[in-house]
Amino acid sequence: MGIIELVVLSIGLAMDAFAVSICKGLSMKKMNWKNAVIVGLYFGIFQALMPLLGYILGMNFQNKIASIDHWVAFILLGIIGINMIKESLSKENDISNDSVKFKDMIILAIATSIDALAVGITFAFLNVNVVVAIFLIGIITFFISTFGVKVGNVFGNKYEKKAEFVGGMILIFLGIKILLEHLQIL
């Protein structure tokens, strides 16, 4: 997986955090850049740590499923992408508040980075520079989430569902690309 694919993957993974960041910004009466940076740090750090954890787990299983690794990557990315799309199409509105306290942010950071854990598992089966991948995922998520707070504060929830939908599509297309490359169709 090259740099371009890693950047696209990072953007796709960041869309959940972006959507939640929009909600945080929406709930702020006045834009607060300090809180926006705190939100970005929580999401960026967790989005970087979870793929590392997934990679470590995946390395333990790599020898056992090496012959089907492309299918594992395809299925995991597809499931994550489909779930993101389903969430983007649901009529339910998430309850949000503007708190950036540890107890509030840790739950959101873990919830939005579970998909990054699954992606990290796929890294063990692919030719991925894990250090570069983790750095890109973390830094891109940080900036996108920080920006998401501002977007939410200015535009409200107009873009939340669209961001989640686009993120889901990106992950599905990456899964398809991995499968087609391995099957030598692409």
Side-chain angles (χ1 to χ4, degrees):
M1 198 177 277
I3 292 291
I4 304 256
E5 287 97 348
L6 288 175
V7 168
V8 171
L9 175 69
S10 299
I11 292 168
L13 286 174
M15 288 299 110
D16 271 355
F18 180 65
V20 174
S21 298
I22 289 173
C23 291
K24 284 290 183 189
L26 178 64
S27 64
M28 290 180 184
K29 289 182 176 66
K30 185 177 180 196
M31 179 59 196
N32 180 332
W33 280 107
K34 178 184 171 200
N35 286 350
V37 168
I38 290 170
V39 169
L41 285 171
Y42 269 101
F43 291 146
I45 289 169
F46 272 83
Q47 287 286 75
L49 289 176
M50 291 298 230
L52 177 61
L53 179 60
Y55 176 76
I56 292 167
L57 290 171
M59 289 303 291
N60 291 325
F61 300 108
Q62 182 181 21
N63 294 336
K64 295 172 182 70
I65 59 173
S67 64
I68 59 166
D69 59 0
H70 53 287
W71 287 104
V72 172
F74 169 71
I75 291 168
L76 285 175
L77 291 172
I79 289 170
I80 295 165
I82 289 167
N83 284 335
M84 285 177 73
I85 291 169
K86 281 181 13 185
E87 283 182 33
S88 77
L89 298 174
S90 80
K91 300 293 181 197
E92 294 179 24
N93 286 331
D94 297 327
I95 298 168
S96 65
N97 63 43
D98 66 347
S99 172
V100 293
K101 293 179 183 172
F102 178 79
K103 68 181 179 76
D104 297 317
M105 289 305 301
I106 196 78
I107 294 166
L108 292 173
I110 291 170
T112 58
S113 62
I114 295 297
D115 53 353
L117 175 75
V119 168
I121 292 170
T122 68
F123 286 167
F125 311 121
L126 304 172
N127 185 19
V128 176
N129 182 329
V130 177
V131 174
V132 171
I134 289 168
F135 173 77
L136 285 173
I137 291 168
I139 200 77
I140 288 172
T141 301
F142 167 77
F143 283 113
I144 286 176
S145 298
T146 303
F147 177 69
V149 174
K150 177 67 174 171
V151 169
N153 191 255
V154 173
F155 297 107
N157 59 9
K158 183 178 180 181
Y159 297 106
E160 174 189 1
K161 297 290 186 179
K162 291 175 183 164
E164 208 164 18
F165 183 85
V166 169
M169 292 301 295
I170 288 170
L171 295 180
I172 290 169
F173 286 129
L174 279 173
I176 291 169
K177 181 182 180 292
I178 289 167
L179 180 64
L180 294 177
E181 281 178 349
H182 187 82
L183 297 175
Q184 299 177 343
I185 296 172
L186 207 107

